[in-house]
Amino acid sequence: MTAQILSAIFTIIIGVGGCVVYYWGANKILDAVFPSRGVSGAAAVDNLRRQGLIRPWLFVGPAMLIVTVYLVYPVIETLRLSFMDRGGENFVGFANYSWAFGDREFRNSIFNNLLWLAVVPAACTFFGLIIAVLTDKIWWGNIAKSLVFLPLAISFVGASVIWKFVYEYRAEGQTQIGILNAAVQYLGGNPQVWISTPFWNNFFLMVILIWIQTGFAMVILSSALRGIPEETIEAAVIDGANPFQIFWKIMVPQIWGSIAVVWTTITILVLKVFDIVLTMTNGQWNSQVLANLMFDWMFRGGGDFGRGAAIAVIIMLAVVPIMIWNIRQANREGGGGH
């Protein structure tokens, strides 16, 4: 444990220190190669122009290189592998995609992902909006916001471990250490193995992601609510609108763009959900989702690069249109689009 902590600290120091040294050194070298001081006026102007042309590339260049190596290349390679056989050596055309849509487990994963899409973005956005509105009206609102936001700092695996204790089941006659089963037993009910109950276990897993992401929705929507002109609220009050009418007819329409951005951001996250399912059920008891199914085919049982890559491409095709729309909506909200 100590070695891991020291390794993490060392990595952070080297990473951050390396970035500082690179940008500081690159600026120094650029200023030395094209000096703007101690030279004639015309030469100084030319050197400043050259610095202006080169400096952005010094800043953006490393990021572009990293994106190319760790994002663009893997996408191209994944596309190639999706048309190859199990070992990634022989071309098989669309056989992997044909298999995917004919496979019962893949169809079950699609169904589960659709369930997640129907519930999680809506629940996170709804709870985040309600909390954002209510916490603005109480003196301890910032404390409440901090508590709601806290789960966002926890990794998906860490959150899943926490919720495993909530759903924990012990055999009859033993003390129930799971909070949910302890409460059920206290109320006279029978403890249940919650996460192994087909269909309903999906909703128990969704609760974890809702618990994590509600804080994100709350922060974004709280910021949007603060941007609503007070004059519109005051005018509605003068016209006799009650609090519910003010909320639904005045506030929500004015922050609809932010609501859409939050909704689609969480939708993208849901399409890629993996850690929670892997940690809690590993896709058992009909709780499989696309990302975990991709992992199973790619890295387990000897691995099938072709089928795993095909599932990855399908996930990417589902995510990309939403991501593009989300970026455009965010730009429009920020005044970058018309």
Side-chain angles (χ1 to χ4, degrees), residues 160-173:
S160 300
V161 171
I162 291 171
W163 279 86
K164 264 198 171 183
F165 287 106
V166 175
Y167 297 140
E168 180 68 21
Y169 168 81
R170 294 295 172 90
E172 188 176 350

Side-chain angles (χ1 to χ4, degrees), residues 18-31:
C19 290
V20 171
V21 170
Y22 167 78
Y23 288 117
W24 178 82
N27 270 314
K28 285 291 184 182
I29 293 171
L30 184 62
D31 291 339

Side-chain angles (χ1 to χ4, degrees), residues 148-206:
V148 174
F149 184 77
L150 196 59
L152 196 62
I154 305 173
S155 69
F156 284 5
V157 172
S160 300
V161 171
I162 291 171
W163 279 86
K164 264 198 171 183
F165 287 106
V166 175
Y167 297 140
E168 180 68 21
Y169 168 81
R170 294 295 172 90
E172 188 176 350
Q174 297 184 18
T175 302
Q176 297 296 330
I177 66 169
I179 296 173
L180 186 55
N181 274 323
V184 168
Q185 192 175 52
Y186 177 79
L187 296 173
N190 295 318
Q192 303 291 326
V193 189
W194 304 104
I195 61 173
S196 66
T197 306
F199 182 74
W200 296 109
N201 53 7
N202 287 289
F203 295 96
F204 293 120
L205 300 186
M206 292 177 204

Side-chain angles (χ1 to χ4, degrees), residues 279-292:
T279 306
M280 296 294 288
T281 65
N282 195 24
Q284 301 177 86
W285 309 298
N286 291 332
S287 64
Q288 188 68 282
V289 291
L290 288 174
N292 195 62

Side-chain angles (χ1 to χ4, degrees), residues 108-118 270-271 273 289-291:
N108 182 60
S109 300
I110 290 283
F111 174 76
N112 289 337
N113 268 101
L114 290 174
L115 271 182
W116 282 71
L117 287 171
V270 167
L271 284 169
V273 67
V289 291
L290 288 174

